Amino acid sequence: MIKAIFFSRFDVLEGPKVVHQVPTHSITPSSETTSSPLVHFPSVAAAVIPRQTFCSLPIAILHSRYRILGYPTCLASPSYPRNEFIFNFCLVLPRHTEFTAYASVVAKIAALFKHLEETSHFLSQDNSLPNTGKIYALCEILLEDLNNYCECMIPIDESNTLNIKLFPTYPPPPPIFPHQVPLATVRLESLIDSNWDLTMLLVLPHIDGVNSVKQIALLADADYKLVRKAIAHLLYYGCVILLDIFSFGASYALTAEIGVFVGDAEVQAECRRYILLPDTRLPHEPAGEMATDREALDGTRLVEMYCSLQQGMSVKSWCVEHAGVVRMIDIRRFITFGVIKGFLYRVHKYAIATGATSILSHTRARKGPKKGGRELESFLDGNHCFDEICTELMISERDLVGKLKGIGDVQIIQK
């Protein structure tokens, strides 16, 4: 959020000077108010209005609890005193605010007013009193619109308009692995246009919350690296999230966030809507029995169901224990909802080679993968979960366990 905007220029008699500031007295002190300014302008004046050599370059100044962004601009002409006119429109932001998006704002403001000054001396011939007039009003509208709407469209004159839009910046997406499953958080088909990348168009139909990244690449008949890059793009903009491969042989356990779910009735209602299947009834069941069971699936019942999940218990075993309610809910969605909300996590299995097998696995790992793919022994260092191994080797978990038994001294741990 922008704390202040100010317009400063080099005055022939006074040197660097703040002409207009919004809010008033946020940069320079006044006897009319007891509040102190956000920054001490004399301390930063030489950087805000620098020598001509350092003009036309972006500046970012850390001062106290704030960051000042600007783009000092110098125009040389015999019509100016000392043959030059230096000005700067600056934004004042909290010190720890992500300021990347605002850097383009000050550059665009500088470019527009440089053009206005060159064509009509819009700035140098402004004789309005400090904190009055058209420039001050423009700064006032700019501050209000960017803070409230993240964009502005301010007409300057008949042929010039200041159009600015703040685009959010996101952290880079985390690494994407072949065994991870992308799940759409928006309707991806509604975002498609004719300019989309070809690989992206091939990938989208296969993002269903079931297929892993490697499976998507195979189904789309596309290069895995390109598919991973396309999914990273969707992940960056929050269009997908990454989950683990769902299987009935997997086990899940609770995190400390379960307390939030227990105390939030709205999240419980959201969960109920998300996991309930359409009203399907077996032929021999009375019409009202299914409806009664669905009504009994309240928040308390949902909490009990989630709390019964634990390490060592597979989803299949959990379904057997809750056979009465399983027929009413989508098991995959039940698990996915808990993982997305953060109160449920997947308990992964890892294989660690011991004894002579350990020496062999370390030797294979140092040599690197053979032509055509990696060998099983290179995964037996405790850093690769079963999902990753099965995806890389294209085998089922049952086949993997059988191969591990044939190798010899291998311990399987869960965490």
Side-chain angles (χ1 to χ4, degrees):
M1 183 176 183
I2 303 173
K3 291 297 183 181
I5 296 178
F6 66 92
F7 166 62
S8 61
R9 55 176 287 183
F10 183 84
D11 186 274
V12 178
L13 300 177
E14 302 179 38
K17 177 184 178 181
V18 175
V19 182
H20 303 294
Q21 52 192 305
V22 180
T24 307
H25 308 310
S26 57
I27 306 300
T28 57
S30 172
S31 58
E32 299 176 2
T33 177
T34 57
S35 60
S36 57
L38 301 178
V39 297
H40 184 243
F41 183 73
S43 301
V44 297
V48 172
I49 304 294
R51 296 176 180 272
Q52 185 175 354
T53 309
F54 299 101
C55 289
S56 299
L57 295 171
I59 62 167
I61 309 166
L62 289 176
H63 180 79
S64 184
R65 295 180 291 113
Y66 300 97
R67 185 188 302 271
I68 303 171
L69 297 183
Y71 199 94
T73 304
C74 177
L75 288 86
S77 173
S79 62
Y80 298 122
R82 299 191 182 183
N83 298 323
E84 64 181 17
F85 177 72
I86 303 177
F87 70 92
N88 198 354
F89 282 88
C90 293
L91 308 182
V92 180
L93 308 172
R95 184 185 185 97
H96 299 293
T97 298
E98 172 56 49
F99 65 93
T100 308
Y102 294 97
S104 60
V105 172
V106 290
K108 190 168 187 177
I109 294 173
L112 174 63
F113 282 100
K114 180 181 180 180
H115 170 71
L116 290 171
E117 176 62 25
E118 289 174 337
T119 56
S120 62
H121 294 281
F122 185 83
L123 299 176
S124 59
Q125 292 184 2
D126 177 51
N127 298 318
S128 58
L129 296 174
N131 302 326
T132 61
K134 193 170 184 177
I135 299 176
Y136 173 77
L138 187 145
C139 292
E140 200 170 29
I141 297 171
L142 184 64
L143 176 68
E144 183 176 349
D145 286 1
L146 290 183
N147 279 342
N148 293 331
Y149 311 111
C150 294
E151 61 182 357
C152 70
M153 186 178 69
I154 307 172
I156 307 298
D157 53 30
E158 294 181 356
S159 57
N160 293 282
T161 302
L162 179 60
N163 290 293
I164 293 177
K165 185 176 180 65
L166 289 175
F167 292 93
T169 55
Y170 304 103
I176 297 176
F177 299 100
H179 63 280
Q180 292 179 308
V181 177
L183 174 68
T185 58
V186 297
R187 294 186 179 276
L188 296 175
E189 61 275 8
S190 66
L191 304 177
I192 298 176
D193 62 37
S194 58
N195 298 318
W196 271 38
D197 178 72
L198 179 59
T199 303
M200 185 72 78
L201 294 175
L202 294 173
V203 163
L204 290 188
H206 304 293
I207 297 179
D208 56 2
V210 177
N211 297 322
S212 67
V213 176
K214 187 168 185 177
Q215 286 175 321
I216 291 173
L218 294 173
L219 293 171
D221 192 21
D223 182 73
Y224 168 73
K225 292 182 180 179
L226 295 178
V227 171
R228 184 176 62 184
K229 190 173 183 179
I231 294 175
H233 190 76
L234 295 173
L235 185 63
Y236 177 78
Y237 286 105
C239 297
V240 299
I241 56 176
L242 295 178
L243 304 174
D244 297 302
I245 296 175
F246 175 83
S247 72
F248 284 93
S251 62
Y252 294 82
L254 298 176
T255 70
E257 296 298 320
I258 186 62
V260 178
F261 180 73
V262 171
D264 196 329
E266 292 185 3
V267 178
Q268 295 170 8
E270 179 187 357
C271 176
R272 187 178 186 276
R273 292 192 299 270
Y274 183 70
I275 68 174
L276 272 179
L277 292 171
D279 190 359
T280 55
R281 180 168 51 89
L282 297 176
H284 65 275
E285 289 182 318
E289 183 175 331
M290 189 72 171
T292 303
D293 290 342
R294 290 167 68 90
E295 291 174 1
L297 190 63
D298 56 6
T300 303
R301 180 64 174 144
L302 289 172
V303 171
E304 292 175 353
M305 290 164 59
Y306 276 115
C307 289
S308 61
L309 290 166
Q310 56 187 327
Q311 288 196 25
M313 173 185 285
S314 66
V315 176
K316 181 179 179 180
S317 300
W318 182 90
C319 290
V320 172
E321 289 189 6
H322 298 80
V325 72
V326 162
R327 59 179 181 164
M328 298 185 298
I329 66 173
D330 186 320
I331 303 300
R332 187 190 305 277
R333 286 193 166 200
F334 175 76
I335 296 297
T336 299
F337 186 87
V339 174
I340 293 174
K341 294 299 183 180
F343 60 81
L344 204 64
Y345 75 96
R346 169 77 178 276
V347 181
H348 283 286
K349 296 178 182 178
Y350 298 84
I352 303 177
T354 58
T357 308
S358 176
I359 298 174
L360 176 62
S361 65
H362 286 303
T363 303
R364 296 274 174 84
R366 284 197 301 270
K367 290 182 178 179
K370 282 189 175 182
K371 184 177 180 181
R374 300 176 65 177
E375 290 192 358
L376 176 57
E377 288 81 359
S378 63
F379 293 99
L380 306 183
D381 56 0
N383 294 320
H384 306 278
C385 64
F386 272 28
D387 283 356
E388 180 181 356
I389 300 173
C390 291
T391 302
E392 289 286 355
L393 302 181
M394 300 295 290
I395 59 176
S396 66
E397 184 172 330
R398 177 180 295 181
D399 293 337
L400 173 60
V401 173
K403 289 178 178 293
L404 292 176
K405 290 180 179 178
I407 289 177
D409 298 330
V410 177
Q411 293 185 357
I412 299 175
I413 63 172
Q414 298 187 20
K415 63 177 180 178

